[in-house]
């Protein structure tokens, strides 16, 4: 990639999972003085409301099957905007470096000679379960947690996830982007040694006012999703920590 003369700097900013109160102080201050903000589809309206009203706002949102801007196009846009403006914010849901392609964008910008800084955000895989009353680790229940993509395919985050190794190696499993593949994932985890009775929770739009939860087991959850017409975006939590929802779930986080 050709080197460029950048006037400004790009900030890869984590928006958190949706509740505006979970935006970092550093992130909020940047949004308030940004010249340009290029944001993803999952960033909540309450966070977008923090953006400097004078700033140029561009939706680079990507949802399953709806790529409003391809990755290369987004990177080219960031480079272009950094040549024209001082503060360019690339606003991503959750944390930019957790299934957010933040590392790829940062690498491209560095190679192009554009100054870039990452500002972490709270990832959905911790915050959504927390608001549902599910700690991802808990003494006596789970001392390990794995964050994994359920969106496995050639060209995606991971060509093939080793669900058997994950079933054996981690007491809590938090799955991002897994709703579409849930029949495959729940079968693979059971083939990998987990009991059909293993609890699983799905949390949709976690930390937002419209948060919804579905609790079941590896054996039942696929039918429950169909019956409830439960839709993405959601994280799935697998493991005994889900049992804590009964005690910790009432009004937690909200
Ligand atoms: C491309 S990944 C981005 C993850 C993000 N970088 C993060 O750290 O949370 C998108 C997936 O994150 C999960 N996700 C993001 N926001 C969510 C929310 N508020 N509630 C539940 N799941 C969410 C869903 O699994 C969704 O399909």
């Amino acid at each position: 990639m050709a080197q460029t003369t950048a006037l400004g700097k790009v900030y890869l900013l984590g928006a958190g999972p949706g509740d505006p109160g979970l935006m970092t102080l550093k992130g909020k201050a940047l949004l308030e003085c940004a010249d340009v903000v290029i944001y993803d589809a999952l960033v909540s309206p309450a966070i977008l409301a923090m953006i400097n009203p004078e700033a140029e706002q561009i939706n680079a949102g990507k949802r399953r099957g709806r790529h409003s801007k391809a990755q290369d196009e987004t990177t080219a846009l960031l480079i272009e905007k950094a040549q024209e403006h001082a503060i360019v914010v690339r606003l991503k849901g959750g944390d930019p470096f957790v299934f957010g392609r933040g590392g790829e964008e940062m690498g491209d910008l560095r190679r192009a000679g554009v100054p870039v800084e990452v500002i972490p955000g709270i990832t959905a895989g911790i915050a959504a379960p927390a608001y549902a009353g599910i700690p991802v680790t808990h003494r006596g229940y789970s001392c390990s947690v794995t964050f994994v993509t359920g969106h496995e395919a050639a060209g995606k985050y991971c060509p093939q996830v080793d669900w058997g190794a994950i079933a054996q190696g981690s007491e809590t499993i938090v799955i991002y982007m897994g709703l579409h593949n849930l029949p495959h994932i729940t079968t693979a985890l059971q083939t990998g040694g987990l009991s059909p009775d293993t609890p699983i929770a799905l949390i949709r739009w976690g930390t937002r006012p419209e948060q919804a939860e579905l609790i079941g087991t590896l054996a039942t959850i696929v039918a429950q999703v169909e019956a409830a017409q439960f839709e993405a975006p959601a994280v799935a939590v697998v493991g005994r920590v889900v049992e804590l929802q009964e005690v910790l779930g009432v009004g937690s986080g909200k």
Side-chain angles (χ1 to χ4, degrees):
M1 193 174 284
Q3 292 274 303
T4 182
T5 316
L7 170 78
K9 182 169 176 179
V10 174
Y11 295 87
L12 284 176
L13 172 59
D19 179 345
L22 297 181
M23 168 57 91
T24 60
L25 293 175
K26 201 168 178 178
K28 183 168 183 283
L30 263 173
L31 288 179
E32 286 167 354
C33 66
D35 298 306
V36 183
V37 179
I38 301 175
Y39 61 92
D40 276 351
L42 288 185
V43 176
S44 73
I47 301 284
L48 295 179
M50 293 176 187
I51 298 172
N52 166 17
E54 307 291 312
E56 183 184 359
Q57 299 184 31
I58 302 167
N59 181 351
K62 293 186 220 58
R63 294 291 301 278
R64 207 187 149 73
R66 280 191 279 147
H67 286 247
S68 52
K69 275 201 197 309
Q71 192 63 45
D72 288 354
E73 238 183 286
T74 304
T75 306
L77 188 62
L78 285 168
I79 294 169
E80 181 195 316
K81 294 299 176 188
Q83 288 168 319
E84 297 164 357
H85 300 280
I87 301 177
V88 178
V89 174
R90 176 70 176 104
L91 184 62
K92 289 172 166 287
D95 181 88
F97 279 2
V98 180
F99 304 124
R101 298 203 164 190
E104 292 166 50
E105 283 179 19
M106 193 168 192
D108 287 344
L109 291 165
R110 282 263 158 87
R111 278 187 287 280
V114 176
V116 52
E117 181 179 333
V118 63
I119 305 194
I122 297 181
T123 189
I126 293 174
Y131 271 42
I134 303 171
V136 294
T137 68
H138 191 87
R139 203 147 55 101
Y141 285 73
S142 166
C143 59
S144 56
V145 54
T146 295
F147 297 99
V148 59
T149 174
H151 196 193
E152 48 181 324
K156 301 295 177 197
Y157 282 94
C158 190
Q160 196 176 9
V161 172
D162 187 345
W163 293 104
I166 290 172
Q168 292 302 318
S170 186
E171 287 161 301
T172 304
I173 305 165
V174 178
I175 305 160
Y176 292 68
M177 299 171 281
L179 209 55
H180 186 73
N181 265 346
L182 205 59
H184 165 66
I185 293 167
T186 50
T187 302
L189 288 174
Q190 290 173 78
T191 307
L194 291 188
S195 157
D197 295 331
T198 307
I200 176 169
L202 301 178
I203 304 118
R204 175 172 197 260
W205 286 130
T207 82
R208 291 199 187 192
E210 62 268 45
Q211 176 174 318
E213 296 132 34
L214 201 58
I215 311 281
T217 67
L218 287 180
T220 64
I221 197 75
V222 170
Q224 288 174 262
V225 165
E226 270 178 36
Q229 301 195 329
F230 199 85
E231 290 181 349
V235 288
V237 187
V238 179
R240 281 195 58 222
V241 288
V242 173
E243 293 167 11
L244 292 161
Q245 203 257 357
E246 265 184 41
V247 187
L248 306 180
V250 187
S252 53
K254 287 178 260 180

